[in-house]
DNA sequence: TCTGGGGTCCTAGGACCC
DNA sequence: TCTGGGGTCCTAGGACCC
């Protein structure tokens, strides 16, 4: 019998901030864009949530809902450090730990009963009684709290899907075990939106079909779902029954590297757009070199003032990790995509079709490239020591002071 | 209300090849 | 004059997640 635990840190970014500034405790705190900036809430304290604030909400809306809320820009390196500490704790309980994001992990507890001592008496979901998984989950939650003072919630079930939904329902500081056989009863009253993979669009279509809860979804036939959603319908059919739709194998290969910028105000000045592209190309190039990746596809992203997003991609003959090639490619795509009449809200550059290590090149070409690589790596070193802005090619300098 | 930044995966059409 | 089927690569858009 599978036993999966889903460990989810509660209001993670805010909780870490509280470690460094205890006076934040009990106050409405938001990590993300400031209340007068373009951007969204990345994390909200439970106090802030009482005002209706939640993650992904525009910060300006959050500010309106709670003018006295404290807005923090966030310190992602710090969050990563605490995430690593949590991971190390988790790994003491089972070798099979998959961090699926900075603040959540799946643990496969199958077969760990002997290690941790089973308490096999069965009980209804959430009753707190029984299950080896339950016992371990209690120990994990306590260990994380004692060693980091960070709160988390844990769901335990026999599928990844139900474990994740359970940790979500348990929040905050909760523990929820869904015994085998109790999945349908547990899921049935929940709104479909609680199922991972069902977002705003799918929710709306389901609602139009008269489906609001997971129980109602489970009563729709597979044929009807395939009719309405195509291949995705089959996945919905399984999800409604608490079954995993994809294999949770560890796939650590990164597929793309990207950077983008939303301007504080929409921009129509070609020079400013060009310098931003050059800057983004440098960020992307640097990360490619850091990871020893070469990219064969460069994608330009552009979002207009009306919030229309378009992408233009170009596949190169030779994979690259050079700022200049990335910049030239992106700039050419940008010229093709932008009609100069529209104001621009966002530009971004993504590097895809990643390969590891350099490709074979003719000798002269290789030498020229080696020099460019050397230059780029030297610049990376300076940036590592003095910050991103210590070295920039002249192109990335803004056309006017900001 | 006015919508980040960094990702993954999926679909669909056209080009091109055999 | 009419017109296959399968496979791969590329591009564009979009849903979704944290």
């Amino acid at each position: 019998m599978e036993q999966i635990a889903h460990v989810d840190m509660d209001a993670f970014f805010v909780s870490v901030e509280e470690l460094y500034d205890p006076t934040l405790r009990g106050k409405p705190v938001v990590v993300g864009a400031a209340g007068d900036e373009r951007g969204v809430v990345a994390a909200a304290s439970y106090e802030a949530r009482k005002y209706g604030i939640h993650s992904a909400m525009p910060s300006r809306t959050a500010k309106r809902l709670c003018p006295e809320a404290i807005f923090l820009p966030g310190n992602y390196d710090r969050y990563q450090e605490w995430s690593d500490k949590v991971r190390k704790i988790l790994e003491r309980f089972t070798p099979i730990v998959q961090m699926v994001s900075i603040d959540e992990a799946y643990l496969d507890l199958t077969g760990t009963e002997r290690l941790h001592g089973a308490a096999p008496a069965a009980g209804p979901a959430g009753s707190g009684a029984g299950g080896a998984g339950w016992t371990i989950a209690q120990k994990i939650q306590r260990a994380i709290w004692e060693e980091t003072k960070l709160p988390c919630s844990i769901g335990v079930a026999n599928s990844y899907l139900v474990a994740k939904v359970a940790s979500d329902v348990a929040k905050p500081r909760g523990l929820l075990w869904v015994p085998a056989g109790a999945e349908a009863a547990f899921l049935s009253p929940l709104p479909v939106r609680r199922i991972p993979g069902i977002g705003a669009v799918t929710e709306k279509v389901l609602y139009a079909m008269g489906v609001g809860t997971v129980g109602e979804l489970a009563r729709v036939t597979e044929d009807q779902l395939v009719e309405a959603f195509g291949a995705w319908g089959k996945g919905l059919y399984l999800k409604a029954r608490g079954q995993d739709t994809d294999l949770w194998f560890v796939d650590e290969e990164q597929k793309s590297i990207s950077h983008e910028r939303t301007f504080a105000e929409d921009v129509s000045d070609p020079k400013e757009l060009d310098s931003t592209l050059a800057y983004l190309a440098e960020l992307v190039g640097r990360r490619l070199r850091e990871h020893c990746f070469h990219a064969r596809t460069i994608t330009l992203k552009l979002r207009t003032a009306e919030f229309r997003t378009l992408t233009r991609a170009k596949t190169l003959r030779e994979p690259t990790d050079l700022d200049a090639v990335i910049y030239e490619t992106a700039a050419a795509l940008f010229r093709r995509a932008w009609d100069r009449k529209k104001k621009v809200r966002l530009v971004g550059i993504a590097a895809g079709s990643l390969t590891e290590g350099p490709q074979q090149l003719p000798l002269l070409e290789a030498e020229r490239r080696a020099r460019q690589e050397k230059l780029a790596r030297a610049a990376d070193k300076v940036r590592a020591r003095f910050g991103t802005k210590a070295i920039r090619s002249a192109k990335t300098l803004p056309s006017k002071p900001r």
Side-chain angles (χ1 to χ4, degrees), chain A residues 80-98:
Chain A
Q80 188 59 56
E81 284 171 27
W82 286 94
S83 175
D84 292 340
K85 288 181 194 182
V86 170
R87 179 177 47 77
K88 290 202 177 84
I89 294 170
L90 297 177
E91 282 169 349
R92 297 208 308 258
F93 291 88
T94 167
I96 309 172
V97 175
Q98 296 171 42

Side-chain angles (χ1 to χ4, degrees), chain A residues 89-310:
Chain A
I89 294 170
L90 297 177
E91 282 169 349
R92 297 208 308 258
F93 291 88
T94 167
I96 309 172
V97 175
Q98 296 171 42
M99 293 297 297
V100 285
S101 73
I102 197 166
D103 69 342
E104 58 175 317
Y106 287 105
L107 279 64
D108 191 337
L109 302 179
T110 312
T112 53
E113 291 89 347
R114 275 173 295 127
L115 263 120
H116 299 277
S127 74
W134 168 268
T135 311
I136 301 170
Q138 279 184 310
K139 290 184 185 171
I140 291 170
Q141 195 179 40
R142 199 178 306 133
I144 292 174
W145 174 252
E146 284 171 1
E147 295 173 43
T148 67
K149 297 297 173 199
L150 292 169
C152 72
S153 299
I154 306 182
V156 182
N158 62 11
S159 71
Y160 289 87
L161 178 83
V162 176
K164 179 165 170 70
V165 176
S167 73
D168 186 34
V169 169
K171 281 180 169 300
R173 292 170 184 264
L175 213 51
L176 189 53
W177 171 56
V178 181
E183 293 85 358
F186 165 65
L187 292 174
S188 156
L190 300 175
V192 288
R193 192 60 198 273
R194 298 295 278 266
I195 301 287
I198 298 184
V201 176
T202 305
E203 179 187 38
K204 206 171 166 190
V205 176
L206 286 174
Y207 189 76
M209 293 168 69
V211 171
T213 67
V214 182
E216 286 158 2
L217 180 59
R219 281 195 287 277
V220 183
T221 67
E222 189 172 353
D223 285 349
Q224 282 175 295
L225 290 172
V226 170
E227 168 95 14
F229 294 96
W232 168 228
K234 169 100 182 158
L236 285 177
Y237 181 82
L238 294 172
K239 284 172 187 289
R241 284 152 185 77
Q243 291 170 31
D244 293 323
T245 50
D246 24 42
L247 295 170
W248 289 84
F249 61 92
V250 183
D251 180 10
E252 300 204 332
E253 234 170 81
Q254 190 164 9
K255 303 289 194 322
S256 66
I257 284 173
S258 67
H259 285 279
E260 61 187 52
R261 280 293 168 274
T262 294
F263 298 104
E265 281 166 12
D266 301 331
V267 171
S268 51
D269 173 14
K271 287 211 186 74
E272 185 171 4
L273 292 164
D274 189 60
S275 74
T276 305
L277 283 177
Y279 175 61
L280 293 170
E282 286 184 7
L283 293 180
V284 170
R286 175 152 70 124
R287 293 221 358 253
L288 286 171
R289 294 188 294 276
E290 261 172 24
H291 297 277
C292 294
F293 283 141
H294 286 63
R296 214 159 78 82
T297 309
I298 302 299
T299 303
L300 180 277
K301 180 168 165 183
L302 189 163
R303 181 171 286 152
T304 62
E306 308 85 74
F307 214 75
R308 203 172 86 85
T309 307
L310 47 90

Side-chain angles (χ1 to χ4, degrees), chain A residues 57-71:
Chain A
M57 168 183 279
S59 287
R60 284 177 171 157
T61 308
K63 175 85 175 171
R64 199 171 36 76
L65 290 173
C66 179
E68 65 273 28
I70 300 165
F71 288 82

